[in-house]
Amino acid sequence: MTLTLCIIVANWGLPLAAIMDCKDKDPEMISGKMTLALAVYSSLFARFAWKVIPRNNLLLACHSTNIAAQVTQGCRFINYYYIQAPEARTKHHIEVVEEELHKHPESYPKIHPVEHPTHKQEEEEVKEFDKTYKLPKDEPHIKPTL
């Protein structure tokens, strides 16, 4: 395997990971700063791949795919943190934490989940979980400057 082929295979890891994240990753876990950085990075390299002579279509395809995936992630981030109502984010956060607690209770020994919790018990479990394990809050990573 030549060095060039290794670089090409490694380079396609970024867009493939971004596409998988679009499908599987919860919008609460998206980093706005990293998404923006990866979109800018891919934009610069896509322009380079277009301008270089002879034109590098494989690199252009790779970075164009990554731009599309990062823009999708950015839209999910903006929708979750800036468009969606705070009540909907809180409800979503409770659902995510409850699902995680009941799937993997052994990973969180300080939390004792109730088998069929009421809404109030779910909220208390989530507060305890957030306090103990310091998960991200319902605040955006990037503050709007407008």
Side-chain angles (χ1 to χ4, degrees), residues 120-136:
K120 186 72 175 163
Q121 288 173 321
E122 283 180 347
E123 286 180 355
E124 291 302 318
E125 279 182 354
V126 170
K127 285 179 186 174
E128 184 181 353
F129 185 90
D130 286 343
K131 187 175 84 178
T132 307
Y133 293 100
K134 297 182 178 25
L135 289 181

Side-chain angles (χ1 to χ4, degrees), residues 21-90:
D21 284 350
C22 287
K23 179 181 167 200
D24 299 333
K25 196 176 214 178
D26 199 70
E28 190 172 306
M29 304 304 289
I30 297 171
S31 168
K33 291 178 183 177
M34 183 56 99
T35 300
L36 179 63
L38 287 170
V40 169
Y41 159 81
S42 282
S43 298
L44 293 172
F45 274 90
R47 183 184 183 283
F48 167 78
W50 182 261
K51 291 287 186 179
V52 71
I53 298 175
R55 189 168 287 155
N56 190 337
N57 291 328
L58 190 57
L59 186 65
L60 179 64
C62 173
H63 286 290
S64 298
T65 303
N66 194 37
I67 292 167
Q70 296 303 330
V71 167
T72 302
Q73 286 289 76
C75 289
R76 291 178 67 217
F77 175 83
I78 290 168
N79 181 50
Y80 185 77
Y81 284 106
Y82 297 105
I83 298 173
Q84 200 173 45
E87 299 82 26
R89 281 198 310 270
T90 302

Side-chain angles (χ1 to χ4, degrees), residues 100-111:
E100 182 67 19
L101 276 175
H102 291 284
K103 271 189 183 175
H104 309 287
E106 69 283 351
S107 300
Y108 309 102
K110 296 179 183 176
I111 309 296

